[in-house]
PDB file of all heavy atoms in Angstrom:
ATOM      1  N   THR A   5       3.590  10.862   3.453  1.00  0.00           N
ATOM      2  CA  THR A   5       3.677  11.666   4.653  1.00  0.00           C
ATOM      3  C   THR A   5       3.198  13.041   4.299  1.00  0.00           C
ATOM      4  O   THR A   5       3.547  13.605   3.269  1.00  0.00           O
ATOM      5  CB  THR A   5       5.145  11.745   5.152  1.00  0.00           C
ATOM      6  OG1 THR A   5       5.589  10.422   5.368  1.00  0.00           O
ATOM      7  CG2 THR A   5       5.240  12.550   6.410  1.00  0.00           C
ATOM      8  N   SER A   6       2.343  13.591   5.174  1.00  0.00           N
ATOM      9  CA  SER A   6       1.759  14.890   4.867  1.00  0.00           C
ATOM     10  C   SER A   6       1.832  15.776   6.093  1.00  0.00           C
ATOM     11  O   SER A   6       1.603  15.339   7.206  1.00  0.00           O
ATOM     12  CB  SER A   6       0.303  14.671   4.461  1.00  0.00           C
ATOM     13  OG  SER A   6      -0.346  15.903   4.351  1.00  0.00           O
ATOM     14  N   GLY A   7       2.139  17.038   5.911  1.00  0.00           N
ATOM     15  CA  GLY A   7       2.085  18.033   6.980  1.00  0.00           C
ATOM     16  C   GLY A   7       3.271  17.923   7.925  1.00  0.00           C
ATOM     17  O   GLY A   7       4.109  17.033   7.836  1.00  0.00           O
ATOM     18  N   ALA A   8       3.312  18.824   8.899  1.00  0.00           N
ATOM     19  CA  ALA A   8       4.407  18.912   9.852  1.00  0.00           C
ATOM     20  C   ALA A   8       4.364  17.762  10.850  1.00  0.00           C
ATOM     21  O   ALA A   8       5.372  17.399  11.430  1.00  0.00           O
ATOM     22  CB  ALA A   8       4.353  20.259  10.601  1.00  0.00           C
ATOM     23  N   GLU A   9       3.204  17.174  11.095  1.00  0.00           N
ATOM     24  CA  GLU A   9       3.077  16.102  12.069  1.00  0.00           C
ATOM     25  C   GLU A   9       3.445  14.754  11.486  1.00  0.00           C
ATOM     26  O   GLU A   9       3.522  13.769  12.216  1.00  0.00           O
ATOM     27  CB  GLU A   9       1.624  16.056  12.610  1.00  0.00           C
ATOM     28  CG  GLU A   9       1.212  17.344  13.283  1.00  0.00           C
ATOM     29  CD  GLU A   9      -0.253  17.634  13.112  1.00  0.00           C
ATOM     30  OE1 GLU A   9      -1.007  16.781  12.617  1.00  0.00           O
ATOM     31  OE2 GLU A   9      -0.648  18.745  13.458  1.00  0.00           O
ATOM     32  N   GLY A  10       3.603  14.660  10.224  1.00  0.00           N
ATOM     33  CA  GLY A  10       3.989  13.423   9.599  1.00  0.00           C
ATOM     34  C   GLY A  10       2.873  12.414   9.527  1.00  0.00           C
ATOM     35  O   GLY A  10       3.095  11.226   9.722  1.00  0.00           O
ATOM     36  N   MET A  11       1.622  12.834   9.258  1.00  0.00           N
ATOM     37  CA  MET A  11       0.477  11.942   9.150  1.00  0.00           C
ATOM     38  C   MET A  11       0.666  11.003   7.955  1.00  0.00           C
ATOM     39  O   MET A  11       1.067  11.435   6.879  1.00  0.00           O
ATOM     40  CB  MET A  11      -0.803  12.748   9.001  1.00  0.00           C
ATOM     41  CG  MET A  11      -2.039  11.898   8.886  1.00  0.00           C
ATOM     42  SD  MET A  11      -3.485  12.963   8.793  1.00  0.00           S
ATOM     43  CE  MET A  11      -4.663  11.831   8.165  1.00  0.00           C
TER      44      MET A  11
END
Side-chain angles (χ1 to χ4, degrees):
T5 303
S6 172
E9 300 148 9
M11 180 177 162

